Amino acid sequence: MTKKGIINRNKLVTLTVVSGALGAVAFNSNILKANADTLSNDSSSSSQASSQSSTTDKKQQATDNVSKAQTDYSQAQSETSSAKATADSTSSAQSDAQTKVDQASSSVSSAQSSVDRAKANESSAEAVQSNAQSTKDEATPDNINKTQADVTEQKNSVSDAENTANSASTATKSAQTDVKNAQTAESSAQNDVNNQQTNVDQASSSVDKVQGDLDGTNTQKAESEVSSTKAQVATDQSKVDDDQTNVTKAQSSVTDVQLAQSSAESTTDTAQQNVEDKTATVNDRASSKADAQKDVDSTQASANKVSDEINSTNTITLPDGYNDNMFKTKTTDEIDTIAKSGLTTNTYKASDTDNATKIANVDNLDANTQQQLAQFVASLLQPLRKELGNHTLSISQGSIDFAQAVAKQYDTDNWNLFAKSAHDVDGISSVASKYGLMTGGNYYEDFSAGFLSGTSNITLSDLKEALYNTIVSMLFDDSGSSYLHAESLLGYDNYGYSDNTYLGVSTDKMGQVHFEFVQDYQIQDASKFNTATTYEIPSNDVSTLKKQLSDLKDTLSAQKQILSNATTAYNSAVTDLNNAKTDLTKAQINLSAKKQAVADAENAVSKAQQTLEDDQVQLTADQAKEKQAEQDLADANADIATKQAKLASAKAELQTQQDKLAELQAILQKKQTAVSNAEKKLTTVQANEKTANENVANQKAILTMLQNKLDTYLNADTVLADANDKLAQAKTAVENAETALTQAKAELTDAETALEQAKGNNETAQKAYQDAVANEKAKKTALASAESALNKIVAQEQAEQAIKEAEQKANNSQSANSSTSVKETQTVAPSQVQNAVSGKTQTVSANVSDGDITLNFKNPTGQTFIKALRQSGYSDKSIELILKNNNDIISLKKAVLDAIIENDFEIHTNNMRSAGYQLNNSLPKKIISQKAYPQTGESSNQIVKALGLLISAVSMILMFRSRKAKHFIR
């Protein structure tokens, strides 16, 4: 966690001491003033020598200064070049660090995808293992034995189904035979029609014969025909008698199988009713089992939830010695020693519910989540505040809204702690104003950065973990901020101003965590800060939850027994139903067989009757032939009249046969209909055969399922072991993926830290380069200044030489004027001259003669020299005398005089003064000049004094605010 303060305590104390010292210097600066000196004429000789020596020394010093300035300038150029190379290097390093951050971010995304895939595989492996475990649990000896019995019974069912299918196949074949028989009967009827057609033809032939008989007889042939037809009739009669016996037997068989069918139908109806009854029982017991299972599931879910709450209830335990006395008496290092153990003894516990709750974006939380986060933080801090005897927390809608608004302001300002290393004080103050709170500083916030692994598509657990770790860090690893965050969290920054402290929690788009603490006295406009709507702070005492869990376990145990009983009853009912279904299937198969037997018997009757009918038809036909043969014989023996009668009769017979043909054709139509019906019946029995075959397939499928179930039971141990191995491998894969993700995140964090360091290094290097460029420029300016100073000293030497020449002329003039009478001296009122250093007015007095002297103020060159003499402290009278006796001095080169004027007279005053002494010495002896020398230190004293007072005042204000509002250091 990064924690930055506005100002360090030690720095604050140091600043205060220094400012006090500066103030003291400012207040006592007057003692540094130099008193005005009055020089006597006796010192002129030594001053002259000193002036010459000083000029030479200053020239040498100026020369040395130029050399040093040149060296400094060259060194500055080298430093600038070096700084530029460093700046280029750090800029490249920053670019490389950014590339590494991008690569690390990509690695984190890839590692997260691997974790997601590994977890998906783990979930699949868990499902397979769960199924394998359930199978293993079911594979009890009883279940294995029962399944083996079911397999045996099902084999019987398959056998029965196959028998039924065989019967159906037989019925199909029989129906096919019936179709063939019907077709045969149809063919027979067709033959009858054909035969009758023959009879018609014969009758017609008889007519022709009788007609022929009128022309002659054929008695022998007629007698032979009578004998033949009688024998055939006897044979036909015997077959008809046998056919009648067969019909009687077939009809008796039909009666027997119909009774058996009726019995099978009764048995099937009973079995069907039994299945329906058993089905109702199964449904009833399934409902009871489902209800029992629902009760178990509900109670288990409640128990799991309570257990999860117990296991995921987060608390923070203070280390031994971490108490009120620690904050009052211990140093930061001592507190750090006590607190460090809290980092390892306090760890976050995630809940399944929070892990399953997704957060789309941390800077756009819904109201419920905002409330949950505030309650979570308060539940951690409230017990600690109570333990330490400090003011407790409250949660209001106002504090929640205020915290969200602060986070949004951070988003708006793009305020990143890593980059800014401070709170967004202006932003906090702006938001505080909108909520009617005190403004002007950060009185409210503790915040952190770096604890959230992401800002989108995370879980509520991730958010809570970031909050938890932020608190742990502030409580037990806050030496960098002198544990002021800890004091704030635990309520030590209240100062007794308020009993109520309202807490709000928020996160911004950069993943930074904000804790906002608002006290009553800080609320200046209650209409803008909602304290009416408050929220309960949850307790993290799990004793009630443990009691609730114990009760739930007792209830669950009883419910599981009820479920076990219901399951046993259900399984028994299912077994009974399966048995009933088996009985029904058997009854249905038997009924089908009996129906087939009836059909077969009826078919046999039909065949016997058809044979009887066919043979009767043949008998009738042969009897008719017999009768006809007898008639033919009689006709052959009859007279002509009789033959004529026979002809008439033959014609009548022809008509009869024709009528019979029509009847047989009608019978043929019936037989054709019988063929159609037989074909329809064939279709039905073929469908039955298909159903029977399908039933065989179904029964075999059930058998296969039971055999697979038996195999599964028998191989349950092997399958479970394999599933456990694969689950372990999947879990290992998840752990490896999560380790890789953690490593990738750590590398990303390291890369981001390195990037921040690279940015800092680059910023420092760029600043150093700019400073080096500025220093080079300053050194270049200093070199130019040193060279200028040397040039001015050279010019000064020329000026001093001119003064020496003026002195010589003055000495020569003294001899010429020695006899001249001099007026008595008089005191001249002190004149006001300007001090060249401080700008202050100094008083200068001189004794001069009463001679009228006029200065040449119009001559520019003379005026320049006059200005120089005035700045050296000479009175106007003394200057007039000097110029009067040294008129040639004004002929000095203007450049030399200008150099004197432009030079710093604070530096060269002594030289000029020395020359002045010499000039004064050339004046009449009774002229005494008293000159006031410029004072040093006066100008800077006022600035130092003001600066010291200002810094002292600021330091005192900061000390007061640091004590009153330690929030500044968050």
Side-chain angles (χ1 to χ4, degrees):
M1 170 183 173
T2 302
K3 301 177 279 294
K4 296 292 183 180
I6 290 180
I7 190 168
N8 183 278
R9 287 179 171 177
N10 293 332
K11 290 181 180 178
L12 182 63
V13 173
T14 302
L15 179 61
T16 305
V17 172
V18 172
S19 63
L22 288 174
V25 170
F27 286 129
N28 294 282
S29 62
N30 287 334
I31 65 174
L32 300 178
K33 289 183 178 180
N35 295 323
D37 296 323
T38 302
L39 298 177
S40 66
N41 293 331
D42 295 337
S43 63
S44 63
S45 177
S46 61
S47 297
Q48 181 178 1
S50 174
S51 173
Q52 293 174 347
S53 175
S54 174
T55 300
T56 301
D57 293 341
K58 288 182 178 179
K59 181 177 180 181
Q60 181 60 46
Q61 181 64 44
T63 301
D64 293 341
N65 288 344
V66 169
S67 177
K68 182 178 183 301
Q70 182 62 57
T71 300
D72 291 345
Y73 178 56
S74 297
Q75 179 65 29
Q77 287 180 316
S78 176
E79 291 174 352
T80 299
S81 177
S82 176
K84 186 177 186 307
T86 301
D88 292 342
S89 175
T90 56
S91 178
S92 176
Q94 178 178 337
S95 178
D96 293 342
Q98 182 63 59
T99 298
K100 289 181 180 180
V101 166
D102 295 340
Q103 292 173 344
S105 179
S106 176
S107 296
V108 167
S109 298
S110 177
Q112 184 63 60
S113 297
S114 297
V115 168
D116 294 340
R117 287 194 298 272
K119 286 186 175 179
N121 293 337
E122 181 186 28
S123 297
S124 177
E126 285 176 340
V128 171
Q129 191 275 343
S130 177
N131 291 336
Q133 184 62 57
S134 297
T135 301
K136 176 64 175 68
D137 294 339
E138 291 176 5
T140 62
D142 290 342
N143 284 340
I144 291 175
N145 293 334
K146 181 179 181 303
T147 304
Q148 288 175 330
D150 290 341
V151 168
T152 300
E153 184 177 358
Q154 187 60 30
K155 287 180 179 179
N156 294 331
S157 297
V158 169
S159 178
D160 292 340
E162 289 175 339
N163 291 334
T164 300
N166 292 334
S167 297
S169 177
T170 301
T172 299
K173 292 177 182 179
S174 176
Q176 291 171 339
T177 301
D178 291 343
V179 169
K180 290 179 180 180
N181 292 335
Q183 290 172 342
T184 299
E186 178 188 16
S187 178
S188 176
Q190 183 66 54
N191 291 334
D192 290 342
V193 169
N194 294 338
N195 291 334
Q196 186 60 33
Q197 182 65 51
T198 299
N199 292 334
V200 170
D201 294 341
Q202 290 175 350
S204 178
S205 177
S206 295
V207 170
D208 294 338
K209 176 180 175 297
V210 173
Q211 183 67 46
D213 286 342
L214 289 176
D215 301 324
T217 50
N218 192 3
T219 303
Q220 185 178 359
K221 181 179 179 182
E223 289 176 348
S224 176
E225 184 68 23
V226 168
S227 176
S228 175
T229 55
K230 282 185 179 290
Q232 184 61 45
V233 167
T235 300
D236 290 343
Q237 184 63 58
S238 177
K239 289 176 66 176
V240 169
D241 292 340
D242 292 340
D243 290 341
Q244 186 62 57
T245 299
N246 290 336
V247 167
T248 302
K249 289 181 178 179
Q251 288 175 337
S252 176
S253 178
V254 167
T255 301
D256 292 339
V257 295
Q258 284 178 338
L259 291 174
Q261 177 182 341
S262 177
S263 175
E265 288 175 345
S266 176
T267 301
T268 300
D269 292 341
T270 301
Q272 180 64 49
Q273 184 61 47
N274 189 36
V275 167
E276 292 175 359
D277 294 341
K278 298 301 183 184
T279 300
T281 301
V282 167
N283 292 338
D284 180 62
R285 292 183 180 178
S287 177
S288 298
K289 178 187 174 185
D291 291 341
Q293 185 66 58
K294 183 178 180 181
D295 292 340
V296 168
D297 292 343
S298 176
T299 305
Q300 184 67 62
S302 298
N304 291 342
K305 182 178 180 182
V306 173
S307 179
D308 184 47
E309 289 180 14
I310 293 173
N311 295 330
S312 62
T313 296
N314 285 282
T315 59
I316 292 179
T317 303
L318 300 178
D320 292 340
Y322 196 106
N323 51 36
D324 187 68
N325 183 62
M326 179 193 75
F327 285 107
K328 292 180 179 178
T329 63
K330 303 295 184 182
T331 65
T332 297
D333 289 342
E334 290 172 335
I335 294 175
D336 204 41
T337 299
I338 295 172
K340 282 297 183 185
S341 64
L343 294 173
T344 56
T345 57
N346 293 283
T347 55
Y348 174 75
K349 302 174 184 177
S351 75
D352 294 339
T353 302
D354 290 344
N355 278 331
T357 303
K358 302 299 181 183
I359 301 296
N361 290 290
V362 298
D363 60 332
N364 190 26
L365 302 177
D366 57 50
N368 181 56
T369 303
Q370 295 171 13
Q371 177 186 330
Q372 282 192 61
L373 296 184
Q375 290 175 317
F376 176 70
V377 172
S379 71
L380 296 173
L381 296 179
Q382 194 77 303
L384 303 182
R385 287 187 171 224
K386 291 180 179 179
E387 178 181 341
L388 296 171
N390 292 334
H391 293 286
T392 56
L393 295 170
S394 299
I395 301 173
S396 72
Q397 190 60 50
S399 60
I400 292 176
D401 294 341
F402 175 59
Q404 302 307 312
V406 169
K408 291 298 182 185
Q409 189 64 47
Y410 270 70
D411 290 343
T412 300
D413 296 342
N414 200 29
W415 194 277
N416 189 312
L417 178 59
F418 289 114
K420 303 292 187 179
S421 300
H423 293 262
D424 186 1
V425 177
D426 291 341
I428 295 171
S429 186
S430 173
V431 175
S433 175
K434 296 176 183 178
Y435 281 83
L437 305 177
M438 289 174 58
T439 61
N442 171 30
Y443 305 111
Y444 313 100
E445 180 177 85
D446 292 315
F447 90 123
S448 70
F451 285 98
L452 265 177
S453 59
T455 59
S456 61
N457 298 322
I458 63 174
T459 66
L460 180 59
S461 180
D462 294 331
L463 261 181
K464 288 186 177 181
E465 184 174 9
L467 302 181
Y468 186 92
N469 290 336
T470 292
I471 295 173
V472 168
S473 180
M474 288 182 175
L475 291 179
F476 307 123
D477 189 21
D478 198 34
S479 58
S481 294
S482 301
Y483 281 89
L484 293 178
H485 289 103
E487 291 185 13
S488 173
L489 295 181
L490 297 175
Y492 281 104
D493 61 347
N494 185 277
Y495 301 111
Y497 296 154
S498 171
D499 288 336
N500 287 323
T501 299
Y502 299 100
L503 169 67
V505 176
S506 62
T507 50
D508 59 37
K509 68 180 182 181
M510 293 156 283
Q512 300 174 134
V513 174
H514 301 260
F515 297 154
E516 308 297 337
F517 297 90
V518 179
Q519 300 177 41
D520 272 344
Y521 77 91
Q522 294 168 333
I523 303 174
Q524 298 181 337
D525 186 349
S527 66
K528 296 181 179 180
F529 191 86
N530 183 357
T531 59
T533 304
T534 59
Y535 302 99
E536 179 183 1
I537 296 177
S539 171
N540 53 15
D541 182 1
V542 297
S543 58
T544 301
L545 290 176
K546 288 183 177 179
K547 175 63 169 61
Q548 183 180 354
L549 179 60
S550 177
D551 293 342
L552 286 171
K553 286 182 177 180
D554 291 342
T555 301
L556 183 61
S557 177
Q559 289 176 336
K560 283 184 176 180
Q561 185 59 51
I562 293 173
L563 175 60
S564 177
N565 295 339
T567 301
T568 300
Y570 169 75
N571 291 339
S572 176
V574 169
T575 299
D576 291 343
L577 175 59
N578 289 336
N579 293 335
K581 286 181 177 180
T582 299
D583 293 341
L584 175 60
T585 300
K586 291 178 179 180
Q588 289 172 333
I589 292 172
N590 183 54
L591 176 60
S592 178
K594 294 298 185 283
K595 287 182 177 180
Q596 185 60 46
V598 170
D600 292 342
E602 289 176 343
N603 186 49
V605 170
S606 178
K607 288 180 180 180
Q609 288 177 337
Q610 183 63 45
T611 301
L612 175 61
E613 290 176 0
D614 293 341
D615 289 344
Q616 286 175 336
V617 169
Q618 187 64 44
L619 174 61
T620 300
D622 289 342
Q623 286 174 341
K625 288 180 180 181
E626 178 187 16
K627 184 178 178 181
Q628 182 63 42
E630 290 174 345
Q631 185 64 42
D632 289 343
L633 178 59
D635 291 341
N637 295 323
D639 54 17
I640 294 174
T642 303
K643 290 180 179 179
Q644 289 176 339
K646 289 289 186 182
L647 177 60
S649 175
K651 290 181 178 179
E653 179 62 22
L654 174 60
Q655 183 61 47
T656 299
Q657 294 301 324
Q658 288 176 334
D659 292 340
K660 182 65 173 177
L661 176 61
E663 291 177 1
L664 290 175
Q665 287 175 334
I667 292 172
L668 174 61
Q669 181 64 41
K670 290 181 181 180
K671 296 304 179 181
Q672 290 174 336
T673 301
V675 169
S676 176
N677 292 336
E679 289 175 342
K680 290 180 180 179
K681 181 179 180 182
L682 175 61
T683 301
T684 300
V685 297
Q686 285 177 332
N688 291 338
E689 181 183 14
K690 180 181 178 182
T691 300
N693 289 332
E694 289 175 348
N695 184 49
V696 169
N698 291 335
Q699 295 302 321
K700 287 182 176 180
I702 295 172
L703 177 60
T704 300
M705 179 191 70
L706 291 172
Q707 287 174 331
N708 290 338
K709 182 178 181 181
L710 179 60
D711 291 339
T712 300
Y713 283 164
L714 295 176
N715 297 324
D717 291 333
T718 302
V719 173
L720 178 59
D722 181 66
N724 287 333
D725 289 342
K726 290 182 179 178
L727 177 58
Q729 292 173 3
K731 288 183 178 294
T732 300
V734 170
E735 292 174 356
N736 292 338
E738 288 178 337
T739 299
L741 177 60
T742 301
Q743 179 64 29
K745 287 181 178 178
E747 290 175 356
L748 175 58
T749 299
D750 292 342
E752 288 174 338
T753 301
L755 175 59
E756 293 301 321
Q757 182 64 41
K759 287 181 179 178
N761 292 342
N762 188 40
E763 183 178 352
T764 300
Q766 296 296 336
K767 185 178 183 302
Y769 172 62
Q770 296 301 324
D771 292 343
V773 170
N775 182 54
E776 179 183 349
K777 183 177 180 181
K779 295 301 182 184
K780 185 177 182 180
T781 302
L783 175 59
S785 178
E787 290 174 341
S788 176
L790 177 59
N791 291 335
K792 290 179 181 179
I793 291 175
V794 172
Q796 179 185 338
E797 286 181 334
Q798 295 177 358
E800 289 177 346
Q801 182 61 36
I803 292 173
K804 288 180 180 179
E805 292 175 359
E807 177 185 2
Q808 183 62 41
K809 289 184 179 183
N811 289 335
N812 293 336
S813 178
Q814 181 178 7
S815 300
N817 295 328
S818 59
S819 59
T820 303
S821 60
V822 181
K823 296 182 181 180
E824 285 211 5
T825 62
Q826 61 182 0
T827 302
V828 180
S831 63
Q832 303 294 319
V833 296
Q834 196 75 9
N835 186 316
V837 176
S838 66
K840 290 182 177 295
T841 301
Q842 304 294 324
T843 300
V844 180
S845 62
N847 293 325
V848 298
S849 64
D850 294 330
D852 294 329
I853 300 173
T854 302
L855 295 176
N856 186 2
F857 289 104
K858 295 181 181 180
N859 186 307
T861 304
Q863 183 61 36
T864 301
F865 193 69
I866 290 169
K867 183 177 179 182
L869 292 175
R870 281 178 172 171
Q871 290 180 340
S872 296
Y874 289 95
S875 67
D876 288 350
K877 293 293 184 180
S878 298
I879 295 171
E880 289 173 357
L881 291 174
I882 291 171
L883 294 179
K884 180 179 180 181
N885 291 286
N886 298 276
N887 289 326
D888 292 338
I889 200 168
I890 63 175
S891 65
L892 287 172
K893 293 181 179 179
K894 185 176 185 301
V896 174
L897 292 174
D898 287 342
I900 296 173
I901 299 304
E902 291 172 3
N903 205 356
D904 187 352
F905 279 99
E906 183 181 11
I907 298 174
H908 301 293
T909 297
N910 289 333
N911 293 332
M912 294 299 293
R913 185 178 297 117
S914 176
Y917 293 156
Q918 295 173 15
L919 292 174
N920 280 344
N921 288 336
S922 68
L923 294 177
K925 295 298 183 180
K926 290 188 179 181
I927 298 177
I928 303 174
S929 299
Q930 294 180 343
K931 296 174 284 295
Y933 294 94
Q935 297 179 355
T936 61
E938 182 64 17
S939 176
S940 60
N941 286 341
Q942 298 301 323
I943 296 174
V944 173
K945 180 187 297 182
L947 179 60
L949 289 173
L950 177 61
I951 297 177
S952 297
V954 172
S955 301
M956 293 174 67
I957 292 171
L958 289 176
M959 288 181 65
F960 173 75
R961 296 183 69 180
S962 174
R963 180 65 185 94
K964 181 176 181 181
K966 295 178 183 178
H967 309 74
F968 287 168
I969 308 179
R970 294 174 191 154

